[in-house]
């Protein structure tokens, strides 16, 4: 069965510090997809990135970067020079290609609440 | 373009009542899925619809149901509400079904059962 673990429940950093959010996943599929979403207090889950299991290239988008390592089943997310606007709950999620019947569901971690203090 | 739109945003219901939540997907998206978010259980998959057909359902009792219309809009219904149904219900849409698609979420409907 698929599982996503975000061991860090809450993290507080001072503005401009770098912060890394950890994500470890479990799956028996060889084809799967990993996601990160951001959830501000309004409730909406904002899509940040999608990675497939065959693409282990690290990705950088502005102050955000992602490190995908299949050897350790991890997909970590780093925010460089954090800002107050980065304060939110961040979720890592997994979708397996073999979810069944061509359907599609995400398995989420419990989330990491990031507080950036000015 | 407009994102996923959910109505109502907030609602309070009494135990035993039923509730219907609505979702309008991003234009051109044909897959709609629903998730329940609670502090205890986190985000859990409810069901997914594609072309008006339920493709998959999560581990929820039969009181939870949904449907999708020909214009891809979707509704979910919870009958005989229980206190534990208090949650944020998130609707999401994607162009197609299958894990290669990116799912985009709405702001959710906050349901409180008293």
């Amino acid at each position: 069965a698929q599982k996503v673990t975000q061991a860090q429940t809450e993290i507080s950093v001072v503005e401009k510090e770098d912060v890394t959010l950890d994500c470890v996943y479990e799956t028996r599929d060889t084809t799967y997809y990993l996601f990160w979403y951001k959830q501000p207090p309004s409730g909406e889950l904002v899509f940040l990135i999608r990675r497939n299991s065959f693409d282990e290239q690290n990705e950088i988008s502005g102050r955000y970067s992602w490190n995908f390592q299949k050897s350790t089943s991890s997909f970590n997310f780093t925010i460089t020079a954090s800002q107050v606007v980065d304060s939110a709950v961040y979720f890592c999620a997994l979708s397996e290609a073999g979810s069944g019947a061509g359907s599609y569901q995400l398995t989420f971690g419990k989330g990491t609440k990031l507080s950036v203090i000015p | 373009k407009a994102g996923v739109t959910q109505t109502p945003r907030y609602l309070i219901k009494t135990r035993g009542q039923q509730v219907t939540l609505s979702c309008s997907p991003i234009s051109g998206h044909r897959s709609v899925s629903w998730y329940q978010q609670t502090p205890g259980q986190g985000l859990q998959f409810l069901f997914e619809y594609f072309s008006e057909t339920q493709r998959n359902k999560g581990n929820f009792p039969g009181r939870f149901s949904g449907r999708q219309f020909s214009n891809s809009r979707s509704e979910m219904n919870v009958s005989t509400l229980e206190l534990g149904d208090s949650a944020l219900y998130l609707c999401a849409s994607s162009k197609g079904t299958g894990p290669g698609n990116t799912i985009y979420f709405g702001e959710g409907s906050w349901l409180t059962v008293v």
Side-chain angles (χ1 to χ4, degrees), chain B residues 32-54:
Chain B
V32 172
S33 50
W34 290 86
Y35 289 77
Q36 181 197 64
Q37 185 177 20
T38 59
Q41 299 299 316
L43 281 153
Q44 293 184 288
F45 171 77
L46 278 160
F47 25 64
E48 185 211 1
Y49 288 87
F50 182 79
S51 293
E52 302 177 65
T53 302
Q54 186 180 89

Side-chain angles (χ1 to χ4, degrees), chain B residues 3-109:
Chain B
V4 179
T5 305
Q6 293 187 243
T7 57
R9 286 276 286 134
Y10 304 92
L11 65 167
I12 300 174
K13 290 286 187 179
T14 304
R15 255 186 316 177
Q17 287 186 315
Q18 74 164 17
V19 66
T20 299
L21 308 177
S22 296
C23 173
S24 292
I26 292 172
S27 178
H29 284 195
R30 296 173 60 197
S31 171
V32 172
S33 50
W34 290 86
Y35 289 77
Q36 181 197 64
Q37 185 177 20
T38 59
Q41 299 299 316
L43 281 153
Q44 293 184 288
F45 171 77
L46 278 160
F47 25 64
E48 185 211 1
Y49 288 87
F50 182 79
S51 293
E52 302 177 65
T53 302
Q54 186 180 89
R55 302 299 297 268
N56 197 7
K57 184 171 189 207
N59 189 25
F60 280 83
R63 301 185 296 107
F64 290 81
S65 63
R67 59 177 176 167
Q68 186 182 33
F69 303 97
S70 57
N71 60 1
S72 294
R73 272 189 60 250
S74 177
E75 288 181 348
M76 67 162 282
N77 183 276
V78 187
S79 62
T80 320
L81 284 165
E82 301 176 358
L83 295 179
D85 297 333
S86 294
L88 174 64
Y89 290 88
L90 289 158
C91 174
S93 74
S94 61
K95 279 189 180 178
T97 188
N101 292 275
T102 296
I103 293 183
Y104 297 92
F105 286 82
E107 288 188 301
S109 293

Side-chain angles (χ1 to χ4, degrees), chain A residues 33 35 37 39 41-47 50 89 91 95-110, chain B residues 9-10 33 35 37 40-43 45 48 55-57 88 90 94 96-107 110:
Chain A
Y33 295 81
F35 301 78
Y37 286 88
Q39 187 176 44
S42 63
E44 179 182 4
L45 280 170
V46 178
F47 167 76
R50 182 188 81 196
V89 181
F91 290 93
S95 180
E96 295 175 327
S99 294
S103 69
Y104 188 11
Q105 67 181 80
L106 293 174
T107 296
F108 285 88
K110 293 293 189 185
Chain B
R9 286 276 286 134
Y10 304 92
S33 50
Y35 289 77
Q37 185 177 20
Q41 299 299 316
L43 281 153
F45 171 77
E48 185 211 1
R55 302 299 297 268
N56 197 7
K57 184 171 189 207
L88 174 64
L90 289 158
S94 61
T97 188
N101 292 275
T102 296
I103 293 183
Y104 297 92
F105 286 82
E107 288 188 301
W110 295 86

